[in-house]
Amino acid sequence: MSDLHAATDDMVLDERVRGFPPGHPQLPLAAVGAQGWKPYDGRMALPLISLDRQAFAGNVDLMMAYVKSHGAEIAPHAKTPMSTALAAALLAAGAWGTTVADIRQAAVMLKAGQRRLILANEIGGAAAARRLAALLGHYPDAELHVFVDSTPLVAALRSAWQERADLPPLGLLVEFGAGRAGLRSTDAAAAVLDAILAVETPAFRLTGIAAYEGAAATANAEETMLRIDALMAMTSDFLPKIRARIGKERPLLLTSGGSVFFDVVVARLSAAVAADPACRLVLRSGAIFFHDHGIYERGLAGLDARGGLRIGDKTVSAAAGFRPALRVWAEVLSRPEPQLAISGMGMRDVAMDQGLPRPLALYRNGAYLGNFESAEVFRLNDQHAFITLADDSDVAVGDVIEFGISHPCTCLDRHAILYGLDPDHSVTAAYLTSFG
């Protein structure tokens, strides 16, 4: 993929942003990568979050190769980093478009110059439809496709589009679902389809079918696959039903695919898309580009158990191919007991909904001391991590711990800046996030 460039925003950073060295003169965002900082050299304020740029680039290359080898497209979900710079990098690497989760996220991406979006969620009712219309009135060249799973939402959107003549075309994606939003039967979907087709205009029309398989997952792997298979079957079976109503020529999207079961989506939906030359399969995986040391590590082990990544005539290991790109860095604040260290990182800094952070490496006085995976985080509170140590550990107050994280989506949203690191762990870029 092409090199990642830091955001060119003229935002100026100072000590109000995590990681920025105390007492350092304020800097434009684009200048951060030229300072030679390292998260463990004592200059940067900790805790902070970083992106391994080499690992990220490798993940992008692998995922794009996989998608293209199956004749599919991808609109990476921007909710994971909410970074316009990283979303733009994915587009430059070959992404078809960008996925967002709500109207505000759509506004962020549109303002950054992106014009092809999937809004992978229902937006609400009449007031939300008017808000979406108010936004798109400023972007007449936008291409936006929105999920719908009810006739009231169709009516609300249609009313908002009827009120204005300055809006770009709006694409409607009939959503099937299991475990979250989405229609639960083809009969229910047929009613929504009827509602759309009854009021279609060139600026307000059906553009495809959507689903999200990740919400169908349960703690039981066998049950999970049965639920996903049923959802994918219902989704793909609806495509010819739509074709019978609208004809063969209209371009349509068939979109699904998070970061754990995207291989199942490709396997289950590819035949339906191959039988429909005017239909495009679009995955929406986003966290896969960042990977982690928790939920997605486990998810990719499961993908390998299903047969691995098929790319052309080769099968490769997803667990070996994708690399965790995110780290959180924090100092040891206290050694109150022989087998206990307390570091300055807590629930305000790192995700814990899908597993606790994992100690990876230890640094002292700006130097790497070695692997630290024998330690274990067993509890977090607001600003502290409680770490169990081996009996012979010589961890000292002031040492810096490099942590792996679990679930990028609920970790990155705690940080305004993501520091991009090169292989020697030097900060060479800074990416502004826009979580609001």
Side-chain angles (χ1 to χ4, degrees), residues 44 120 129 191 224 409 425 433:
M44 301 188 76
T224 292
C409 301
H425 293 331
T433 66

Side-chain angles (χ1 to χ4, degrees), residues 76-315:
H77 210 314
K79 71 178 177 63
T80 300
M82 274 310 294
S83 164
T84 57
L86 294 177
L90 291 170
L91 288 174
W96 174 85
T98 299
T99 297
V100 294
D102 56 36
I103 296 171
R104 192 199 69 83
Q105 291 182 9
V108 170
M109 294 300 156
L110 287 167
K111 187 173 183 179
Q114 299 200 29
R115 290 296 180 267
R116 178 183 281 162
L117 303 176
I118 295 175
L119 204 169
N121 208 349
E122 285 71 25
I123 60 168
R130 289 192 294 270
R131 292 197 301 272
L132 181 61
L135 170 64
L136 292 180
H138 294 283
Y139 301 98
D141 56 342
E143 176 186 338
L144 188 139
H145 307 267
V146 61
F147 284 17
V148 293
D149 70 354
S150 69
T151 56
L153 178 55
V154 174
L157 288 166
R158 179 64 186 128
S159 177
W161 255 249
Q162 279 182 318
E163 291 173 2
R164 305 180 56 150
D166 61 336
L167 301 180
L170 182 68
L172 306 181
L173 300 171
V174 176
E175 185 196 7
F176 288 96
R180 202 169 70 182
L183 296 149
R184 301 304 202 252
S185 71
T186 53
D187 286 344
V192 172
L193 177 62
D194 287 343
I196 296 171
L197 297 182
V199 295
E200 270 199 324
T201 69
F204 186 87
R205 66 196 322 231
L206 177 79
T207 52
I209 310 170
Y212 174 54
E213 75 292 342
T218 71
N220 182 287
E222 184 176 351
E223 180 185 354
T224 292
M225 292 311 302
L226 289 173
R227 286 164 58 89
I228 292 175
D229 283 345
L231 177 61
M232 293 296 98
M234 186 165 53
T235 302
S236 60
D237 289 349
F238 199 63
L239 181 57
K241 298 181 187 299
I242 286 179
R243 281 294 178 209
R245 301 285 302 277
I246 67 171
K248 298 180 179 180
E249 302 303 320
R250 184 189 303 188
L252 291 177
L253 307 179
L254 188 58
T255 177
S256 190
S259 292
V260 174
F261 300 105
F262 60 86
D263 62 314
V264 180
V265 168
V266 169
R268 302 298 187 268
L269 298 185
S270 288
V273 174
D276 188 330
C279 186
R280 186 190 305 265
L281 176 60
V282 182
L283 302 183
R284 302 192 307 276
S285 317
I288 190 66
F289 298 104
F290 301 88
H291 194 23
D292 68 10
H293 287 90
I295 179 175
Y296 292 110
E297 181 180 74
R298 299 188 293 272
L300 292 189
L303 193 158
D304 282 346
R306 295 191 294 269
L309 286 176
R310 188 168 51 82
I311 301 177
D313 58 357
K314 297 180 180 179
T315 298

Side-chain angles (χ1 to χ4, degrees), residues 332-386:
V332 176
L333 306 183
S334 177
R335 283 290 315 271
E337 300 169 15
Q339 293 181 308
L340 175 65
I342 299 175
S343 77
M345 172 196 71
M347 293 183 289
R348 296 185 178 189
D349 311 298
V350 71
M352 60 177 292
D353 59 310
Q354 299 289 346
L356 293 168
R358 182 189 303 175
L360 299 176
L362 192 68
Y363 300 79
R364 181 176 296 164
N365 298 325
Y368 172 73
L369 288 188
N371 184 294
F372 196 47
E373 295 192 39
S374 61
E376 182 180 1
V377 175
F378 67 89
R379 181 161 65 92
L380 298 176
N381 61 21
D382 282 5
Q383 294 183 258
H384 298 90
F386 296 78

